[in-house]
Amino acid sequence: MSNPDFLVIGSGPSGRRAAIQAAKLGRSVLVVEDRRRVGGVSVHTGTIPSKTMRETVLNLSGWRERGFYGRSYRVKQDITASDVQDRMTKTLAHEVDVLEHQFSRNGVRTLQGEARFVSTEEVAVRLPDGEERRFRPGATLIAVGTQPFRPGYVPFNGTSVFDSDEILAIPKLPRSLTVIGAGVIGVEYATIFSALEVQVTLIEPRETFLDFIDKELIDEFTHELRDRNVALRLGSKVESVDFDGAGRPVCRLSSGRDVASEILLFAAGRMGATDRLDLPAAGLSSDHRGRIVVDPKTLQTAVPRIYASGDVIGFPSLASTSMEQGRIAACHAFGAPLPPEPEFFPYGIYSVPEMSTVGMSEEEVRRRAIPYEVGVARFRETSRGHIMGLETGMMKMIFSKKTRRLLGVHILGEGATELVHIGQAVLNLKGTIDYFIENTFNYPTLAEAYKIASLDAWNRAFAPAAASAVPVAPVA
């Protein structure tokens, strides 16, 4: 196998997009993946399987119909772990087939093996049969993603104590679950299992969680969790984990409380999967969480011909942003014009209910001392919300009082991760409240919440000043 122009270590969202972009620039590309099939963490243990699990749970549990038929409504009375895993197997197989076809269509070569650096210019790949091949690529991209953080005090056993990768292969659904870590992954799994009527306890050492999300949204979300009997143990550090007489894992908290459950999920962080790359051989290093520092504009590491992108470089650790990082790295490596960097990108959390946000939160607007107004819409205020039987869900919009520009959109509820893209477009195009007031939205849709929230803000802050310019003031 000849030396490629571009060697990509990892085939997740970032590596995939980088490889295809480089191929479209006419470069020879080799993707090295240590799994049997391509796709990386995203396809095999992260984004795709967890979201497939969520969708399966919502469908089989009848979650979306309970607004009409009551909390006891079920589509399938006895949901098993195999019900969830069957759908995951089909979805993952399809994702891998699509990716393999994309690589084939673009002439991207793949090689199964474990890569490590020999020098700044040479990469060795150890194949499954033990053979080692060496390559001297024109440029290299590190896109290895992350792996679960596994502290020594947690007795992982694969039967009752799991990390966030292992939980997908859980042999049976438990009656009770403890989740350590109220980050994105912990919150997603806690709420997915809660939708199955599993008794869930969520433990977080800090007094708050998901601090990058608008606080009002988190307050609403927290209220919904408590209404579903999800026990929140915030400000509680886990001192130790052991087992009771029945073999159940027990978390001993700094507060003096003990939390016992059938299953324990440790989801407090992930680490860059860089431990086997031998970074020092290439003149590189990683931090205590295995992450690599890069130039945020070019994705170059301290060694200019070596790039890194995706979760291995840290925040925001989203599949969507990782894809763009991979594309930027490939373009820079081969002298192609870099795509313009968008000012705002959406953040989606696939909890139950889901959350999505774009732009500034109210807390950030206050820190910047920007005069602003807020408009809020409840999904139950929309006709589509009534049709769907939605009792909860909200949209919060923030506008500049000086320029009338949209500053942020924050959504909690059904379809949040889809709805947010309207706000994303208006934000990046520097649109104002007038866009939402003057334009027509399909009826009935949840997207009408944009107009309702905008009218709410307009009535509070803009109506008097606009009265002379607008013959008939909109009515909320």
PDB file of all heavy atoms in Angstrom, residues 13-14 42 47 51 184 188 212 309-326 345-350 356-357:
ATOM      1  N   PRO A  13     -17.296  10.992  12.747  1.00  0.00           N
ATOM      2  CA  PRO A  13     -17.777  12.131  11.938  1.00  0.00           C
ATOM      3  C   PRO A  13     -16.661  13.029  11.425  1.00  0.00           C
ATOM      4  O   PRO A  13     -16.665  13.439  10.266  1.00  0.00           O
ATOM      5  CB  PRO A  13     -18.688  12.880  12.917  1.00  0.00           C
ATOM      6  CG  PRO A  13     -19.172  11.826  13.856  1.00  0.00           C
ATOM      7  CD  PRO A  13     -18.020  10.880  14.026  1.00  0.00           C
ATOM      8  N   SER A  14     -15.678  13.317  12.270  1.00  0.00           N
ATOM      9  CA  SER A  14     -14.600  14.216  11.872  1.00  0.00           C
ATOM     10  C   SER A  14     -13.676  13.577  10.836  1.00  0.00           C
ATOM     11  O   SER A  14     -13.365  14.176   9.799  1.00  0.00           O
ATOM     12  CB  SER A  14     -13.797  14.619  13.111  1.00  0.00           C
ATOM     13  OG  SER A  14     -12.797  15.540  12.771  1.00  0.00           O
ATOM     14  N   SER A  42     -19.046   7.449  17.187  1.00  0.00           N
ATOM     15  CA  SER A  42     -20.361   7.985  16.843  1.00  0.00           C
ATOM     16  C   SER A  42     -21.332   6.904  16.393  1.00  0.00           C
ATOM     17  O   SER A  42     -22.478   6.854  16.823  1.00  0.00           O
ATOM     18  CB  SER A  42     -20.224   9.043  15.737  1.00  0.00           C
ATOM     19  OG  SER A  42     -21.492   9.486  15.306  1.00  0.00           O
ATOM     20  N   THR A  47     -23.254   8.506  19.418  1.00  0.00           N
ATOM     21  CA  THR A  47     -24.383   9.281  18.914  1.00  0.00           C
ATOM     22  C   THR A  47     -25.498   8.424  18.330  1.00  0.00           C
ATOM     23  O   THR A  47     -26.656   8.507  18.762  1.00  0.00           O
ATOM     24  CB  THR A  47     -23.890  10.266  17.833  1.00  0.00           C
ATOM     25  OG1 THR A  47     -22.871  11.092  18.399  1.00  0.00           O
ATOM     26  CG2 THR A  47     -25.030  11.132  17.334  1.00  0.00           C
ATOM     27  N   LYS A  51     -29.111   7.599  20.334  1.00  0.00           N
ATOM     28  CA  LYS A  51     -30.309   8.264  19.809  1.00  0.00           C
ATOM     29  C   LYS A  51     -31.307   7.243  19.260  1.00  0.00           C
ATOM     30  O   LYS A  51     -32.522   7.440  19.321  1.00  0.00           O
ATOM     31  CB  LYS A  51     -29.926   9.254  18.707  1.00  0.00           C
ATOM     32  CG  LYS A  51     -29.429  10.614  19.223  1.00  0.00           C
ATOM     33  CD  LYS A  51     -28.332  10.480  20.225  1.00  0.00           C
ATOM     34  CE  LYS A  51     -27.750  11.755  20.737  1.00  0.00           C
ATOM     35  NZ  LYS A  51     -26.685  11.523  21.734  1.00  0.00           N
ATOM     36  N   VAL A 184     -24.064  15.905  29.589  1.00  0.00           N
ATOM     37  CA  VAL A 184     -24.972  15.601  28.479  1.00  0.00           C
ATOM     38  C   VAL A 184     -25.287  14.106  28.429  1.00  0.00           C
ATOM     39  O   VAL A 184     -26.461  13.702  28.344  1.00  0.00           O
ATOM     40  CB  VAL A 184     -24.371  16.073  27.141  1.00  0.00           C
ATOM     41  CG1 VAL A 184     -25.225  15.584  25.973  1.00  0.00           C
ATOM     42  CG2 VAL A 184     -24.268  17.589  27.115  1.00  0.00           C
ATOM     43  N   GLU A 188     -28.933  12.409  29.281  1.00  0.00           N
ATOM     44  CA  GLU A 188     -29.651  11.705  28.219  1.00  0.00           C
ATOM     45  C   GLU A 188     -30.066  10.305  28.673  1.00  0.00           C
ATOM     46  O   GLU A 188     -31.236   9.918  28.546  1.00  0.00           O
ATOM     47  CB  GLU A 188     -28.782  11.640  26.953  1.00  0.00           C
ATOM     48  CG  GLU A 188     -28.661  12.974  26.242  1.00  0.00           C
ATOM     49  CD  GLU A 188     -27.857  12.906  24.950  1.00  0.00           C
ATOM     50  OE1 GLU A 188     -27.210  11.867  24.693  1.00  0.00           O
ATOM     51  OE2 GLU A 188     -27.878  13.894  24.198  1.00  0.00           O
ATOM     52  N   PHE A 212     -24.048  25.444  30.474  1.00  0.00           N
ATOM     53  CA  PHE A 212     -23.979  26.180  29.210  1.00  0.00           C
ATOM     54  C   PHE A 212     -25.366  26.396  28.604  1.00  0.00           C
ATOM     55  O   PHE A 212     -25.522  27.108  27.612  1.00  0.00           O
ATOM     56  CB  PHE A 212     -23.081  25.455  28.202  1.00  0.00           C
ATOM     57  CG  PHE A 212     -23.552  24.065  27.857  1.00  0.00           C
ATOM     58  CD1 PHE A 212     -24.378  23.840  26.773  1.00  0.00           C
ATOM     59  CD2 PHE A 212     -23.162  22.976  28.631  1.00  0.00           C
ATOM     60  CE1 PHE A 212     -24.813  22.572  26.456  1.00  0.00           C
ATOM     61  CE2 PHE A 212     -23.588  21.702  28.328  1.00  0.00           C
ATOM     62  CZ  PHE A 212     -24.424  21.496  27.245  1.00  0.00           C
ATOM     63  N   SER A 309      -8.907  16.837  15.171  1.00  0.00           N
ATOM     64  CA  SER A 309     -10.248  17.403  15.134  1.00  0.00           C
ATOM     65  C   SER A 309     -11.240  16.448  15.787  1.00  0.00           C
ATOM     66  O   SER A 309     -10.942  15.270  16.022  1.00  0.00           O
ATOM     67  CB  SER A 309     -10.669  17.687  13.679  1.00  0.00           C
ATOM     68  OG  SER A 309     -10.676  16.489  12.912  1.00  0.00           O
ATOM     69  N   GLY A 310     -12.414  16.964  16.077  1.00  0.00           N
ATOM     70  CA  GLY A 310     -13.451  16.143  16.704  1.00  0.00           C
ATOM     71  C   GLY A 310     -13.357  16.175  18.220  1.00  0.00           C
ATOM     72  O   GLY A 310     -12.760  17.060  18.827  1.00  0.00           O
ATOM     73  N   ASP A 311     -13.928  15.166  18.841  1.00  0.00           N
ATOM     74  CA  ASP A 311     -13.995  15.131  20.302  1.00  0.00           C
ATOM     75  C   ASP A 311     -12.622  15.118  20.957  1.00  0.00           C
ATOM     76  O   ASP A 311     -12.478  15.521  22.117  1.00  0.00           O
ATOM     77  CB  ASP A 311     -14.778  13.893  20.759  1.00  0.00           C
ATOM     78  CG  ASP A 311     -16.265  14.014  20.473  1.00  0.00           C
ATOM     79  OD1 ASP A 311     -16.666  14.989  19.800  1.00  0.00           O
ATOM     80  OD2 ASP A 311     -17.029  13.135  20.914  1.00  0.00           O
ATOM     81  N   VAL A 312     -11.592  14.656  20.243  1.00  0.00           N
ATOM     82  CA  VAL A 312     -10.258  14.560  20.840  1.00  0.00           C
ATOM     83  C   VAL A 312      -9.659  15.931  21.151  1.00  0.00           C
ATOM     84  O   VAL A 312      -8.707  16.029  21.910  1.00  0.00           O
ATOM     85  CB  VAL A 312      -9.318  13.744  19.923  1.00  0.00           C
ATOM     86  CG1 VAL A 312      -8.859  14.589  18.728  1.00  0.00           C
ATOM     87  CG2 VAL A 312      -8.121  13.213  20.690  1.00  0.00           C
ATOM     88  N   ILE A 313     -10.245  17.005  20.603  1.00  0.00           N
ATOM     89  CA  ILE A 313      -9.738  18.349  20.916  1.00  0.00           C
ATOM     90  C   ILE A 313     -10.642  19.054  21.931  1.00  0.00           C
ATOM     91  O   ILE A 313     -10.386  20.205  22.284  1.00  0.00           O
ATOM     92  CB  ILE A 313      -9.552  19.221  19.656  1.00  0.00           C
ATOM     93  CG1 ILE A 313     -10.901  19.554  19.005  1.00  0.00           C
ATOM     94  CG2 ILE A 313      -8.627  18.539  18.665  1.00  0.00           C
ATOM     95  CD1 ILE A 313     -10.779  20.583  17.870  1.00  0.00           C
ATOM     96  N   GLY A 314     -11.699  18.368  22.395  1.00  0.00           N
ATOM     97  CA  GLY A 314     -12.529  18.943  23.444  1.00  0.00           C
ATOM     98  C   GLY A 314     -13.746  19.676  22.931  1.00  0.00           C
ATOM     99  O   GLY A 314     -14.239  19.413  21.833  1.00  0.00           O
ATOM    100  N   PHE A 315     -14.245  20.615  23.757  1.00  0.00           N
ATOM    101  CA  PHE A 315     -15.494  21.327  23.492  1.00  0.00           C
ATOM    102  C   PHE A 315     -15.550  21.848  22.065  1.00  0.00           C
ATOM    103  O   PHE A 315     -14.541  22.322  21.561  1.00  0.00           O
ATOM    104  CB  PHE A 315     -15.624  22.499  24.478  1.00  0.00           C
ATOM    105  CG  PHE A 315     -16.948  23.208  24.417  1.00  0.00           C
ATOM    106  CD1 PHE A 315     -18.044  22.731  25.126  1.00  0.00           C
ATOM    107  CD2 PHE A 315     -17.105  24.335  23.635  1.00  0.00           C
ATOM    108  CE1 PHE A 315     -19.262  23.387  25.063  1.00  0.00           C
ATOM    109  CE2 PHE A 315     -18.318  24.995  23.560  1.00  0.00           C
ATOM    110  CZ  PHE A 315     -19.406  24.515  24.278  1.00  0.00           C
ATOM    111  N   PRO A 316     -16.709  21.782  21.376  1.00  0.00           N
ATOM    112  CA  PRO A 316     -18.016  21.395  21.912  1.00  0.00           C
ATOM    113  C   PRO A 316     -18.334  19.902  21.846  1.00  0.00           C
ATOM    114  O   PRO A 316     -19.386  19.486  22.309  1.00  0.00           O
ATOM    115  CB  PRO A 316     -18.990  22.183  21.044  1.00  0.00           C
ATOM    116  CG  PRO A 316     -18.326  22.261  19.717  1.00  0.00           C
ATOM    117  CD  PRO A 316     -16.852  22.388  20.021  1.00  0.00           C
ATOM    118  N   SER A 317     -17.461  19.114  21.247  1.00  0.00           N
ATOM    119  CA  SER A 317     -17.664  17.654  21.206  1.00  0.00           C
ATOM    120  C   SER A 317     -19.030  17.269  20.646  1.00  0.00           C
ATOM    121  O   SER A 317     -19.771  16.474  21.230  1.00  0.00           O
ATOM    122  CB  SER A 317     -17.476  17.048  22.609  1.00  0.00           C
ATOM    123  OG  SER A 317     -16.155  17.216  23.053  1.00  0.00           O
ATOM    124  N   LEU A 318     -19.356  17.826  19.514  1.00  0.00           N
ATOM    125  CA  LEU A 318     -20.602  17.505  18.816  1.00  0.00           C
ATOM    126  C   LEU A 318     -20.267  16.845  17.482  1.00  0.00           C
ATOM    127  O   LEU A 318     -19.308  17.237  16.821  1.00  0.00           O
ATOM    128  CB  LEU A 318     -21.414  18.777  18.544  1.00  0.00           C
ATOM    129  CG  LEU A 318     -21.883  19.586  19.750  1.00  0.00           C
ATOM    130  CD1 LEU A 318     -22.446  20.918  19.287  1.00  0.00           C
ATOM    131  CD2 LEU A 318     -22.917  18.804  20.530  1.00  0.00           C
ATOM    132  N   ALA A 319     -21.076  15.879  17.077  1.00  0.00           N
ATOM    133  CA  ALA A 319     -20.855  15.241  15.779  1.00  0.00           C
ATOM    134  C   ALA A 319     -20.914  16.281  14.660  1.00  0.00           C
ATOM    135  O   ALA A 319     -20.120  16.243  13.709  1.00  0.00           O
ATOM    136  CB  ALA A 319     -21.895  14.150  15.553  1.00  0.00           C
ATOM    137  N   SER A 320     -21.843  17.226  14.775  1.00  0.00           N
ATOM    138  CA  SER A 320     -22.027  18.236  13.728  1.00  0.00           C
ATOM    139  C   SER A 320     -20.802  19.138  13.598  1.00  0.00           C
ATOM    140  O   SER A 320     -20.296  19.369  12.487  1.00  0.00           O
ATOM    141  CB  SER A 320     -23.266  19.079  14.032  1.00  0.00           C
ATOM    142  OG  SER A 320     -23.188  19.622  15.347  1.00  0.00           O
ATOM    143  N   THR A 321     -20.304  19.644  14.708  1.00  0.00           N
ATOM    144  CA  THR A 321     -19.123  20.515  14.637  1.00  0.00           C
ATOM    145  C   THR A 321     -17.868  19.725  14.296  1.00  0.00           C
ATOM    146  O   THR A 321     -16.966  20.239  13.630  1.00  0.00           O
ATOM    147  CB  THR A 321     -18.921  21.261  15.968  1.00  0.00           C
ATOM    148  OG1 THR A 321     -18.886  20.311  17.043  1.00  0.00           O
ATOM    149  CG2 THR A 321     -20.050  22.242  16.229  1.00  0.00           C
ATOM    150  N   SER A 322     -17.819  18.471  14.728  1.00  0.00           N
ATOM    151  CA  SER A 322     -16.662  17.624  14.401  1.00  0.00           C
ATOM    152  C   SER A 322     -16.532  17.445  12.897  1.00  0.00           C
ATOM    153  O   SER A 322     -15.427  17.438  12.342  1.00  0.00           O
ATOM    154  CB  SER A 322     -16.797  16.262  15.080  1.00  0.00           C
ATOM    155  OG  SER A 322     -16.723  16.380  16.490  1.00  0.00           O
ATOM    156  N   MET A 323     -17.655  17.280  12.214  1.00  0.00           N
ATOM    157  CA  MET A 323     -17.630  17.133  10.757  1.00  0.00           C
ATOM    158  C   MET A 323     -17.007  18.358  10.099  1.00  0.00           C
ATOM    159  O   MET A 323     -16.161  18.249   9.209  1.00  0.00           O
ATOM    160  CB  MET A 323     -19.047  16.925  10.230  1.00  0.00           C
ATOM    161  CG  MET A 323     -19.652  15.583  10.572  1.00  0.00           C
ATOM    162  SD  MET A 323     -21.324  15.431   9.866  1.00  0.00           S
ATOM    163  CE  MET A 323     -21.848  13.889  10.606  1.00  0.00           C
ATOM    164  N   GLU A 324     -17.422  19.541  10.552  1.00  0.00           N
ATOM    165  CA  GLU A 324     -16.889  20.764   9.965  1.00  0.00           C
ATOM    166  C   GLU A 324     -15.411  20.931  10.296  1.00  0.00           C
ATOM    167  O   GLU A 324     -14.638  21.409   9.480  1.00  0.00           O
ATOM    168  CB  GLU A 324     -17.696  21.973  10.455  1.00  0.00           C
ATOM    169  CG  GLU A 324     -19.082  22.059   9.846  1.00  0.00           C
ATOM    170  CD  GLU A 324     -19.045  21.994   8.327  1.00  0.00           C
ATOM    171  OE1 GLU A 324     -18.418  22.871   7.695  1.00  0.00           O
ATOM    172  OE2 GLU A 324     -19.614  21.044   7.756  1.00  0.00           O
ATOM    173  N   GLN A 325     -15.016  20.530  11.497  1.00  0.00           N
ATOM    174  CA  GLN A 325     -13.590  20.597  11.846  1.00  0.00           C
ATOM    175  C   GLN A 325     -12.754  19.717  10.940  1.00  0.00           C
ATOM    176  O   GLN A 325     -11.673  20.120  10.486  1.00  0.00           O
ATOM    177  CB  GLN A 325     -13.403  20.179  13.307  1.00  0.00           C
ATOM    178  CG  GLN A 325     -13.947  21.176  14.315  1.00  0.00           C
ATOM    179  CD  GLN A 325     -13.996  20.596  15.719  1.00  0.00           C
ATOM    180  OE1 GLN A 325     -13.686  19.420  15.929  1.00  0.00           O
ATOM    181  NE2 GLN A 325     -14.389  21.403  16.692  1.00  0.00           N
ATOM    182  N   GLY A 326     -13.255  18.524  10.646  1.00  0.00           N
ATOM    183  CA  GLY A 326     -12.534  17.640   9.741  1.00  0.00           C
ATOM    184  C   GLY A 326     -12.389  18.238   8.356  1.00  0.00           C
ATOM    185  O   GLY A 326     -11.327  18.151   7.727  1.00  0.00           O
ATOM    186  N   PHE A 345     -23.617  28.091  16.136  1.00  0.00           N
ATOM    187  CA  PHE A 345     -24.000  26.725  15.775  1.00  0.00           C
ATOM    188  C   PHE A 345     -24.916  26.181  16.867  1.00  0.00           C
ATOM    189  O   PHE A 345     -24.833  26.590  18.022  1.00  0.00           O
ATOM    190  CB  PHE A 345     -22.774  25.824  15.585  1.00  0.00           C
ATOM    191  CG  PHE A 345     -21.912  25.688  16.816  1.00  0.00           C
ATOM    192  CD1 PHE A 345     -22.192  24.743  17.790  1.00  0.00           C
ATOM    193  CD2 PHE A 345     -20.806  26.515  16.989  1.00  0.00           C
ATOM    194  CE1 PHE A 345     -21.399  24.625  18.915  1.00  0.00           C
ATOM    195  CE2 PHE A 345     -20.007  26.399  18.121  1.00  0.00           C
ATOM    196  CZ  PHE A 345     -20.306  25.449  19.085  1.00  0.00           C
ATOM    197  N   PRO A 346     -25.814  25.280  16.507  1.00  0.00           N
ATOM    198  CA  PRO A 346     -26.775  24.775  17.489  1.00  0.00           C
ATOM    199  C   PRO A 346     -26.188  23.677  18.358  1.00  0.00           C
ATOM    200  O   PRO A 346     -25.300  22.939  17.935  1.00  0.00           O
ATOM    201  CB  PRO A 346     -27.908  24.227  16.617  1.00  0.00           C
ATOM    202  CG  PRO A 346     -27.214  23.785  15.362  1.00  0.00           C
ATOM    203  CD  PRO A 346     -26.073  24.750  15.156  1.00  0.00           C
ATOM    204  N   TYR A 347     -26.685  23.587  19.560  1.00  0.00           N
ATOM    205  CA  TYR A 347     -26.301  22.523  20.482  1.00  0.00           C
ATOM    206  C   TYR A 347     -27.566  21.738  20.798  1.00  0.00           C
ATOM    207  O   TYR A 347     -28.564  22.309  21.228  1.00  0.00           O
ATOM    208  CB  TYR A 347     -25.710  23.117  21.760  1.00  0.00           C
ATOM    209  CG  TYR A 347     -24.726  22.213  22.467  1.00  0.00           C
ATOM    210  CD1 TYR A 347     -23.391  22.561  22.579  1.00  0.00           C
ATOM    211  CD2 TYR A 347     -25.141  21.000  23.001  1.00  0.00           C
ATOM    212  CE1 TYR A 347     -22.482  21.717  23.230  1.00  0.00           C
ATOM    213  CE2 TYR A 347     -24.237  20.159  23.635  1.00  0.00           C
ATOM    214  CZ  TYR A 347     -22.921  20.522  23.753  1.00  0.00           C
ATOM    215  OH  TYR A 347     -22.033  19.685  24.383  1.00  0.00           O
ATOM    216  N   GLY A 348     -27.527  20.433  20.575  1.00  0.00           N
ATOM    217  CA  GLY A 348     -28.696  19.595  20.831  1.00  0.00           C
ATOM    218  C   GLY A 348     -28.426  18.570  21.912  1.00  0.00           C
ATOM    219  O   GLY A 348     -27.371  17.934  21.917  1.00  0.00           O
ATOM    220  N   ILE A 349     -29.339  18.422  22.851  1.00  0.00           N
ATOM    221  CA  ILE A 349     -29.255  17.407  23.891  1.00  0.00           C
ATOM    222  C   ILE A 349     -30.469  16.504  23.738  1.00  0.00           C
ATOM    223  O   ILE A 349     -31.615  16.950  23.852  1.00  0.00           O
ATOM    224  CB  ILE A 349     -29.220  18.044  25.294  1.00  0.00           C
ATOM    225  CG1 ILE A 349     -28.013  18.961  25.418  1.00  0.00           C
ATOM    226  CG2 ILE A 349     -29.193  16.970  26.375  1.00  0.00           C
ATOM    227  CD1 ILE A 349     -27.935  19.693  26.731  1.00  0.00           C
ATOM    228  N   TYR A 350     -30.207  15.220  23.465  1.00  0.00           N
ATOM    229  CA  TYR A 350     -31.289  14.284  23.163  1.00  0.00           C
ATOM    230  C   TYR A 350     -31.790  13.593  24.434  1.00  0.00           C
ATOM    231  O   TYR A 350     -31.821  12.380  24.532  1.00  0.00           O
ATOM    232  CB  TYR A 350     -30.831  13.286  22.111  1.00  0.00           C
ATOM    233  CG  TYR A 350     -30.633  13.933  20.760  1.00  0.00           C
ATOM    234  CD1 TYR A 350     -29.434  14.578  20.448  1.00  0.00           C
ATOM    235  CD2 TYR A 350     -31.657  13.942  19.821  1.00  0.00           C
ATOM    236  CE1 TYR A 350     -29.257  15.199  19.224  1.00  0.00           C
ATOM    237  CE2 TYR A 350     -31.487  14.565  18.592  1.00  0.00           C
ATOM    238  CZ  TYR A 350     -30.286  15.186  18.301  1.00  0.00           C
ATOM    239  OH  TYR A 350     -30.119  15.813  17.098  1.00  0.00           O
ATOM    240  N   SER A 356     -32.505  22.150  22.876  1.00  0.00           N
ATOM    241  CA  SER A 356     -31.594  22.649  21.862  1.00  0.00           C
ATOM    242  C   SER A 356     -31.459  24.151  22.015  1.00  0.00           C
ATOM    243  O   SER A 356     -32.419  24.849  22.382  1.00  0.00           O
ATOM    244  CB  SER A 356     -32.082  22.297  20.456  1.00  0.00           C
ATOM    245  OG  SER A 356     -31.023  22.407  19.524  1.00  0.00           O
ATOM    246  N   THR A 357     -30.277  24.650  21.755  1.00  0.00           N
ATOM    247  CA  THR A 357     -29.998  26.063  21.978  1.00  0.00           C
ATOM    248  C   THR A 357     -29.046  26.584  20.918  1.00  0.00           C
ATOM    249  O   THR A 357     -28.202  25.845  20.407  1.00  0.00           O
ATOM    250  CB  THR A 357     -29.403  26.250  23.391  1.00  0.00           C
ATOM    251  OG1 THR A 357     -29.128  27.616  23.618  1.00  0.00           O
ATOM    252  CG2 THR A 357     -28.129  25.446  23.562  1.00  0.00           C
TER     253      THR A 357
END
